[in-house]
Amino acid sequence: MDTGGLGGHPRGLTTLFFTEMWERFSYYGMRALLILFMVKTAADGGLGYDTKKAAAIYGTYTMSVYLLSILGGFIADNFIGARRAVLVGGIIIATGHFTMAINSEVTFFAGLVLIAMGTGLLKPNISTMVGSLYTPADDRRDAGFSIFYMGINLGAFVSPLVTGWLAQSAGWKSLLSGWGLNPLHSWHWGFAAAGVGMTLGLIVYVLQRERLAHVGNAPAPEADGSRPWGRLGVVALGSLILIAAMKACDTYPALVYVLFALQIAAILFFAFKPDPDSKRIAAILVFFFAAEIFWAIFEQTGSTISLFADELTRNEFLGYSFPSSWWQSVNSVWVILLAPIFAWLWIRLGARQPSSPAKFALGLLFVALSFVLMVPAAKLTAEGKVGPMWLVGLFFLQTVGEMLLSPVGLSTMTKLAPQRLLGLVMGIWFLAAALGNKLAGVLAGEFRSENAGDLATFFWHQALAVGACTLVLFALVPWVKKLMGGVR
Ligand code: GLN
């Protein structure tokens, strides 16, 4: 057993930690600029889109990034293996960022498409490689994913500060002018910085490749030496159709119920088949459903919570005021503080830790509680802006929930997936995030800040709905454990 890495974990974990840290640095650094760059006028160096158009592009982009994980996972499983998929994905992502460093609309969109495709290749496969570092019975696995998750959030925390400073600060603009460069192009310096982050990640990955030489190998071709090109076409086409179908939810919100009904039908279909693989797929789909509900609340950080922060909160700390956008980093700060505690807790509890479905139910409970906390906060807005501690509390509760669900979900997928479908199953896990992001957008559309009573009801209804899902999931824990067939 390799215990030579971070905290007694395999040495490959450190490599994946830093590669993913830089990849997330790029992703979140760019994401922080995206909407702003689109809505700023040409006089400010932006594209001058209206908010509606910018929000639609933003939503489609963030959904596609996660949705293309299915394709990326399939390519790794059937063609090139996870290890090479991460390398190729990283190169495509860096190319995308550098493309966006050029000031034109065509390069902007080309860059977004490249980043979405590259992330689809990298994100699910780097996650499965973390799992491959451990044997199925290794109790360090959930702890390993908690540490990996910390890398994600180190990148996510620092990058908006760096890219935001390059893109928006007066200081950097005057430096550019001083060098004889156009200060309006500051945005593109932000995009390029994201590309530099990804490049650094790739350098770490290549230099330390021998630590990962035993995981993520390419699969052997079929007996006749061929590869499943036909099925690749089907998966690619299916992904495009799914993106289009999800976009249709904007026009026909009732489609969301069809989506739920389909998921429940799929769970029952697989659960009542006799073979163990089908039962495990049913368990994966239960986790999928729970994760989708979780992200639908959690991903309102960029919408509902950002509006609450901007319009209804006194953004002051120890007498200093700060921009409302800084709230976007608070979740990452909590993850960095809490991840070591959870990693320690899972190691400490060892075989006595709660089962993964129980951890998921607890995750849902905490995200529901975060919106319960917002009910009195919303009521208090009748008397004016509220203090910052409400949002600090909200992010604390959400992050506890996230630590119980998200790294645990990554870990559970790597345990439940049949070896030859590892990448695909991880892609399905990220599909839950894609759908959750979309649902979050639909829910946030109901946010109104004018009436405190209505706002309290807005939070309360969502808390109740998620609370009900939590109870159902708790009740299902024994059944899901049975479906998992011995996997914890
Ligand atoms: N914040 C995490 C990340 O960036 C989780 C994303 C997700 O699965 N929705 O990896």
Side-chain angles (χ1 to χ4, degrees), residues 20 24 28 66 123 149 152 295 299 402 406 429-430 433:
E20 178 63 343
R24 291 284 99 180
Y28 285 107
Y66 287 117
K123 184 85 169 128
Y149 214 74
I152 288 177
W295 297 123
E299 291 292 351
E402 183 185 6
S406 186
W429 168 252
F430 287 116

Side-chain angles (χ1 to χ4, degrees), residues 43 138 207 289 350 378 438:
D138 197 328
L207 286 180
F289 204 160
K438 191 76 206 164

Side-chain angles (χ1 to χ4, degrees), residues 241-310:
I241 293 175
L242 205 54
I243 291 178
M246 290 310 293
K247 271 187 73 65
C249 287
D250 290 335
T251 330
Y252 310 103
L255 279 178
V256 169
Y257 295 105
V258 178
L259 191 73
F260 286 158
L262 281 175
Q263 289 177 57
I264 294 173
I267 292 172
L268 295 175
F269 174 78
F270 284 107
F272 291 107
K273 283 182 131 188
D275 61 299
D277 268 0
S278 298
K279 292 199 186 298
R280 283 184 180 196
I281 292 177
I284 288 171
L285 293 174
V286 173
F287 289 126
F288 178 93
F289 204 160
E292 177 183 345
I293 304 285
F294 180 88
W295 297 123
I297 302 290
F298 183 92
E299 291 292 351
Q300 288 179 55
T301 297
S303 45
T304 299
I305 300 305
S306 136
L307 294 171
F308 191 94
D310 199 53

